Amino acid sequence: MSSDLDRDLLSALWQRQYSKGSPIAHELRTAYGDRWVRFHSLPGSKRYPETEDESHRGATGHSPIESWHQQYLDKTRQATAARAGRGSS
């Protein structure tokens, strides 16, 4: 996936394909319990980093998917806070 990821396009595609759940693990388990997905950001689909570089990669949000997901979560939290009357802080 390109680092020039179009986040709005990815969000629209997600909603079209997975309209029953947000890209949040516990929501997906409820909405799509018959499916399993894991996004890997380490080489070779490793689950845990084995080198300093791999540790740094995971800590910096290297993956475009991770970046999009974090933005999605931030927007969701802001919208929830606004609906609850707490502002967007």
Side-chain angles (χ1 to χ4, degrees), residues 9-49:
L9 175 60
L10 184 55
S11 293
L13 291 171
W14 182 275
Q15 288 303 314
R16 187 168 61 211
Q17 293 295 320
Y18 304 104
S19 60
K20 293 192 296 183
S22 298
I24 301 171
H26 66 274
E27 289 185 21
L28 289 175
R29 279 192 298 270
T30 301
Y32 298 99
D34 61 328
R35 302 179 194 178
W36 176 261
V37 64
R38 177 178 285 153
F39 296 102
H40 298 277
S41 61
L42 293 172
S45 296
K46 290 185 212 172
R47 193 165 185 180
Y48 301 105

Side-chain angles (χ1 to χ4, degrees), residues 40-57:
H40 298 277
S41 61
L42 293 172
S45 296
K46 290 185 212 172
R47 193 165 185 180
Y48 301 105
E50 296 174 353
T51 67
E52 193 74 26
D53 182 53
E54 290 172 357
S55 294
H56 180 69
R57 177 184 294 194

